[in-house]
Amino acid sequence: MPAATAPNQQPATATETDPEALGWMRGFPPSPDRTITFQNGSFRNFPELRWAWSNVRQLVPTVNVWRGAGPASVLPREDHDIGAVASTTLDGRPMTFAKVLEETYTDGIAVLHRGKLIYERYFGALKPHKPHIAMSVTKSFTGVLAGILVTEGKVDPQAQVTDYVPELKASAFGDARVHEVMDMTTGLEYTEVYTDKNSHVWGLRRANGMAPIPPDYSGPTNIFDFLVAQKKQGEHGKAFAYKTVNTDVLAWICRRASGMTLSELLSERIWTPMGAEEDAHYHVDRIGTESGGGGLSTTLRDLARFGETMRNHGRFNGRQIVPSSVVEDIARGGDPEKFKPADYTTLPGASYRNQWWVTHNAHGAYMARGVHGQGIYVDPKAEMVIARYASHPVAGNAANDPVTLPAYMALAKELMAGG
Amino acid sequence: MPAATAPNQQPATATETDPEALGWMRGFPPSPDRTITFQNGSFRNFPELRWAWSNVRQLVPTVNVWRGAGPASVLPREDHDIGAVASTTLDGRPMTFAKVLEETYTDGIAVLHRGKLIYERYFGALKPHKPHIAMSVTKSFTGVLAGILVTEGKVDPQAQVTDYVPELKASAFGDARVHEVMDMTTGLEYTEVYTDKNSHVWGLRRANGMAPIPPDYSGPTNIFDFLVAQKKQGEHGKAFAYKTVNTDVLAWICRRASGMTLSELLSERIWTPMGAEEDAHYHVDRIGTESGGGGLSTTLRDLARFGETMRNHGRFNGRQIVPSSVVEDIARGGDPEKFKPADYTTLPGASYRNQWWVTHNAHGAYMARGVHGQGIYVDPKAEMVIARYASHPVAGNAANDPVTLPAYMALAKELMAGG
């Protein structure tokens, strides 16, 4: 068994931690040193998470996102071996696309160019028909659903959050506007430091069902109770600060505005019309509430379909699924000046708009991003979409970006050159 | 809110306890008196279970049974309103088929005649695309999977259980043969009394994940550990005694003999070739083990497809899915003399064979049965299959049989007469 990551030690490589090869959760029963449980928290350890992120529904309760009864939409294929495409990491190391996948613990990657699936690879515990957790890529779905409700007149970005959710009156969101939670410019005491067990994000995880409840715990055990208890710090509207509770509030607004659960909304508005290949699912808290900030699991191909829907201004499978204005508003991006103080060194000049990360680079690329390397990368100029699921030992995407972002740009240029 | 069942009081009717009308788990959040959770055990109360049995995956972890990538098999339809078909209950009350459904808290019923879906109705919280828990109907799937492995030479009914699972050496199963667990003729101390919280079945539920673990609990928290601790009482092979642990042992044998999980086996051998319309799922224990004795959830139509596969001697969707010898062995039944001492007053002359209940009535009908009214009823002579999901307040099927069994026979006769 590969050693856990110790100080000054490189974590074991993707090949060394392949969950199938290591036999995690194999056998009847699995051997004790290959058993992963929710209760003891081992599913969040590395390399255990390499199995867990492809098997979330075996660990926690979930709710289905139905794909409808129709056929899956066609994803035309035109295989193109891009494994040798060269790039240079932000710290100057030469790389190939295939090596990027190995180095960033990729579980699955799908690349679409001009709507054709040119490259699709699976590693680790992922299979084409199996859903993988999207982590905070979930937020970008919530944002698009909110955007759809805005165009339908059911949600007003300028309205007060409490116009939809009066229960938040005494919370940090009591004087926040909807667009401030959409763009995460609220001023909140809440912190999101994945490596610090005292950070509020761990409280959110206990509340939303993705962390066990300690024996003497008396805090919130569902998402709503957690949100109502959030405290303000600083001012709303001034600066971007990445805090998942904003998305969970946005999901609450969407439910109240539509009268539907998040899973019903996603099924009806996106999953069914998009012709998804498989059902998706959200993990739920102890009263059935979907984690709108991080709980969605989908297959890789369905993630790619959604990315392609965005690239096509909301049109896919022969129909307009997302109003083009919603997509264009996201692609245009938010205010880079509000983003700058957050100091994302791998994303200079970027902005955050309605739960999407907008690079403002020469290709106008924008992204959905989730911890441990989950992502959708849309490059409008190169007509390229990359969907990726991963199980990187490090949660923060700063561990992926120096390797993946240059590789994506190199690939875009290669494809534009007809390579 | 309808009163809970008190002594000398009839439980509220199906209409009075419709979970949709009552608003169970509706709203964001649901109101406290309409909230159902796993942790406080409320999902097993009546009428809460009327919602819960259609939403098990929101309460507990599950594993998917993939339907494959192909199209759903066609279920030809020929609507036939059989709601007025008359019958008389075992206690002499006049009944119509429609009234049977209401009186037995039916969530969904599908009737096939000569392979055509002639009647399909949904009530309560069930929808055509939603899986409902099959309870012990799950056992009949496990039995058929075991039968398939027998015909492949991977399982020998005459072999010792310990030939496949040496870990059971010191348990009640240490000197049992495989056919004795298939037919539930083992002698076990284990009791299965649903209404007695001290009955061993509640220990199994804690172990298999369908009951919460009390704070000071030190017993088994997974299915394997529970099985290994089972004690013998009496002799093996003498008499039928309905005890779910037999099926969980049979599932363990199937896993060892095939090298596959139960969900992989069901997907590959039945769900995919049958052209199931939707994925199914098993609830799992805390280390990912499927409950082979009661944890399967399927859509009603897929349950009907499986019943029709059985009626057709294992052939469905243009292929032989289950070897005909496996079906014929079940349909022929077991030894009624071994069944008689169990004293099922609603099933005189019946037998139990490889996880199926065989009536030995004039039509040669056989059944898969689960608590709270789940069932498949195959009537070979009438060329009729009935699939039913329900949420009856009483667990034991003795509460359904006096009403349902005469109705099924009356319907069979009506269909045979061309009515």
Side-chain angles (χ1 to χ4, degrees):
Chain A
M1 185 173 165
T5 312
N8 305 319
Q9 197 182 332
Q10 282 295 317
T13 67
T15 301
E16 287 165 357
T17 58
D18 182 285
E20 304 274 313
L22 291 178
W24 283 104
M25 293 297 271
R26 284 293 181 87
F28 319 109
S31 66
D33 71 344
R34 288 291 182 275
T35 298
I36 296 166
T37 78
F38 174 74
Q39 284 74 15
N40 70 12
S42 57
F43 71 105
R44 281 197 185 276
N45 298 344
F46 182 83
E48 288 92 325
L49 61 81
R50 301 218 62 203
W51 178 88
W53 295 167
S54 292
N55 291 285
V56 165
R57 71 177 285 179
Q58 294 191 44
L59 297 166
V60 290
T62 52
V63 62
N64 198 47
V65 176
W66 192 41
R67 59 172 295 284
S73 56
V74 176
L75 267 187
R77 283 171 177 277
E78 192 174 282
D79 275 359
H80 188 151
D81 191 353
I82 55 175
V85 171
S87 58
T88 305
T89 66
L90 291 186
D91 56 345
R93 291 181 297 126
M95 221 12 89
T96 63
F97 200 78
K99 202 170 160 212
V100 166
L101 303 184
E102 163 78 12
E103 193 162 302
T104 57
Y105 301 84
T106 304
D107 292 329
I109 190 154
V111 180
L112 290 161
H113 183 226
R114 296 184 180 147
K116 287 182 177 151
L117 185 60
I118 62 164
Y119 192 75
E120 182 186 21
R121 294 289 186 279
Y122 294 89
F123 309 92
L126 194 58
K127 301 274 177 289
H129 70 277
K130 281 191 76 171
H132 186 290
I133 190 161
M135 297 294 184
S136 294
V137 171
T138 305
K139 293 180 172 69
S140 305
F141 284 91
T142 305
V144 168
L145 290 171
I148 292 173
L149 295 176
V150 167
T151 62
E152 292 174 1
K154 295 189 173 120
V155 171
D156 175 2
Q158 297 305 323
Q160 296 288 331
V161 167
T162 53
D163 289 349
Y164 304 93
V165 188
E167 293 95 322
L168 288 168
K169 193 77 197 168
S171 79
F173 301 98
D175 60 348
R177 296 189 181 271
V178 173
H179 71 86
E180 291 161 343
V181 302
M182 291 174 95
D183 295 343
M184 294 214 196
T185 59
T186 49
L188 304 174
E189 190 182 280
Y190 174 97
T191 59
E192 185 133 348
V193 183
Y194 307 112
T195 49
D196 177 5
K197 289 269 181 165
N198 293 316
S199 174
H200 299 104
V201 68
W202 285 92
L204 176 59
R205 286 173 177 173
R206 282 190 286 273
N208 76 22
M210 271 296 269
I213 297 284
D216 54 353
Y217 179 79
S218 61
T221 58
N222 69 66
I223 294 173
F224 301 122
D225 286 350
F226 187 83
L227 296 177
V228 165
Q230 292 308 300
K231 293 192 170 59
K232 190 172 176 182
Q233 189 175 82
E235 277 184 81
H236 297 324
K238 295 297 175 195
F240 166 70
Y242 184 78
K243 301 186 172 186
T244 295
V245 284
N246 286 293
T247 321
D248 283 310
V249 166
L250 187 59
W252 199 350
I253 293 168
C254 290
R255 293 181 185 107
R256 281 280 167 82
S258 68
M260 295 167 78
T261 66
L262 207 57
S263 40
E264 288 167 345
L265 255 183
L266 182 58
S267 170
E268 182 183 293
R269 304 306 176 90
I270 297 178
W271 230 243
T272 301
M274 189 175 81
E277 204 164 305
E278 299 289 342
D279 292 349
H281 55 77
Y282 287 97
H283 75 73
V284 292
D285 67 13
R286 294 160 191 85
I287 60 168
T289 321
E290 306 95 339
S291 166
L296 185 66
S297 287
T298 80
T299 66
L300 181 67
R301 284 186 198 144
D302 288 333
L303 191 71
R305 282 180 171 90
F306 181 62
E308 182 64 10
T309 303
M310 294 296 289
R311 188 187 74 79
N312 285 312
H313 302 260
R315 214 179 150 75
F316 189 75
N317 196 26
R319 69 200 79 175
Q320 191 75 34
I321 297 167
V322 181
S324 59
S325 60
V326 173
V327 180
E328 284 149 16
D329 173 74
I330 288 165
R332 223 169 11 243
D335 183 351
E337 286 307 310
K338 288 186 179 173
F339 187 84
K340 196 181 275 178
D343 201 25
Y344 285 81
T345 53
T346 60
L347 300 172
S351 71
Y352 191 82
R353 177 66 179 145
N354 191 18
Q355 312 290 316
W356 290 76
W357 306 77
V358 185
T359 66
H360 298 280
N361 69 11
H363 288 192
Y366 55 96
M367 303 179 277
R369 292 156 66 88
V371 286
H372 299 285
Q374 325 314 324
I376 302 172
Y377 185 93
V378 180
D379 182 327
K381 190 165 181 197
E383 300 166 277
M384 176 185 83
V385 170
I386 299 174
R388 187 170 90 101
Y389 279 137
S391 45
H392 198 292
V394 179
N397 273 303
N400 282 297
D401 287 346
V403 180
T404 53
L405 292 182
Y408 293 173
M409 183 51 88
L411 178 58
K413 287 178 176 165
E414 179 102 355
L415 293 174
M416 286 168 71
Chain B
M1 183 173 165
T5 312
N8 305 320
Q9 197 181 333
Q10 283 294 319
T13 66
T15 301
E16 286 166 355
T17 58
D18 182 286
E20 304 274 314
L22 291 179
W24 283 103
M25 294 297 270
R26 285 293 182 85
F28 317 109
S31 65
D33 71 343
R34 287 291 183 275
T35 299
I36 296 165
T37 78
F38 174 75
Q39 284 74 14
N40 70 11
S42 58
F43 70 104
R44 281 198 184 275
N45 298 344
F46 182 84
E48 288 90 325
L49 61 82
R50 302 218 62 207
W51 179 87
W53 296 166
S54 293
N55 292 286
V56 165
R57 71 177 286 179
Q58 295 191 44
L59 297 165
V60 290
T62 52
V63 61
N64 198 47
V65 177
W66 191 40
R67 59 171 295 285
S73 56
V74 176
L75 268 186
R77 285 172 174 274
E78 191 175 282
D79 276 359
H80 188 152
D81 191 353
I82 56 175
V85 171
S87 58
T88 306
T89 66
L90 291 185
D91 57 344
R93 291 181 297 125
M95 215 20 83
T96 62
F97 200 79
K99 200 169 161 214
V100 166
L101 303 184
E102 164 77 14
E103 194 163 301
T104 57
Y105 302 84
T106 304
D107 292 328
I109 191 154
V111 180
L112 290 163
H113 183 226
R114 296 183 181 147
K116 287 182 177 151
L117 185 59
I118 63 166
Y119 192 75
E120 182 187 20
R121 295 289 187 279
Y122 294 88
F123 309 92
L126 194 58
K127 301 274 177 288
H129 71 277
K130 280 191 76 171
H132 186 290
I133 191 162
M135 297 295 184
S136 293
V137 171
T138 306
K139 293 179 172 70
S140 305
F141 284 90
T142 305
V144 168
L145 290 172
I148 292 172
L149 295 176
V150 168
T151 62
E152 291 174 0
K154 294 189 175 122
V155 170
D156 176 2
Q158 298 305 323
Q160 296 289 331
V161 167
T162 53
D163 290 349
Y164 303 93
V165 188
E167 292 94 322
L168 289 168
K169 192 76 196 166
S171 80
F173 301 98
D175 61 347
R177 294 186 182 272
V178 173
H179 71 86
E180 291 161 345
V181 302
M182 291 174 93
D183 295 345
M184 294 213 197
T185 60
T186 49
L188 304 174
E189 190 181 280
Y190 173 97
T191 59
E192 185 135 348
V193 183
Y194 308 112
T195 48
D196 176 4
K197 289 268 181 168
N198 293 314
S199 174
H200 298 103
V201 68
W202 285 93
L204 175 59
R205 287 173 177 173
R206 282 189 286 273
N208 76 21
M210 271 297 269
I213 297 284
D216 53 352
Y217 179 79
S218 62
T221 58
N222 70 66
I223 294 173
F224 301 122
D225 286 350
F226 187 83
L227 297 177
V228 165
Q230 291 309 299
K231 293 193 169 59
K232 190 172 174 181
Q233 189 176 82
E235 277 183 80
H236 297 323
K238 295 298 177 193
F240 166 71
Y242 184 79
K243 299 184 173 188
T244 295
V245 284
N246 286 293
T247 321
D248 283 310
V249 166
L250 186 60
W252 199 349
I253 292 168
C254 289
R255 294 181 185 106
R256 281 280 166 83
S258 67
M260 295 167 76
T261 66
L262 207 57
S263 41
E264 288 167 346
L265 255 182
L266 182 57
S267 170
E268 182 183 292
R269 303 307 175 90
I270 298 177
W271 230 243
T272 300
M274 189 174 82
E277 204 163 303
E278 298 290 341
D279 291 349
H281 54 78
Y282 287 97
H283 73 75
V284 293
D285 68 13
R286 293 160 191 84
I287 60 169
T289 321
E290 305 95 340
S291 165
L296 185 66
S297 287
T298 80
T299 67
L300 180 67
R301 284 186 199 145
D302 289 332
L303 192 70
R305 281 179 171 89
F306 182 62
E308 182 65 10
T309 303
M310 294 297 288
R311 189 187 73 79
N312 286 314
H313 302 262
R315 215 181 148 73
F316 189 75
N317 197 25
R319 69 200 80 176
Q320 192 74 35
I321 297 167
V322 182
S324 60
S325 61
V326 173
V327 180
E328 283 148 18
D329 174 74
I330 288 165
R332 223 167 14 242
D335 183 350
E337 287 306 310
K338 288 186 179 172
F339 187 86
K340 197 180 276 179
D343 201 27
Y344 285 81
T345 53
T346 60
L347 301 172
S351 72
Y352 191 81
R353 178 65 180 146
N354 191 19
Q355 312 291 314
W356 289 76
W357 305 77
V358 185
T359 66
H360 298 280
N361 71 9
H363 289 195
Y366 56 96
M367 303 179 277
R369 292 157 65 89
V371 287
H372 299 285
Q374 324 315 324
I376 303 174
Y377 185 92
V378 180
D379 183 327
K381 191 167 180 195
E383 301 165 277
M384 176 185 84
V385 169
I386 299 174
R388 187 170 90 100
Y389 279 136
S391 44
H392 198 291
V394 179
N397 272 303
N400 283 298
D401 287 347
V403 180
T404 54
L405 292 182
Y408 293 173
M409 183 52 88
L411 178 57
K413 287 179 175 165
E414 179 101 354
L415 294 175
M416 286 168 73

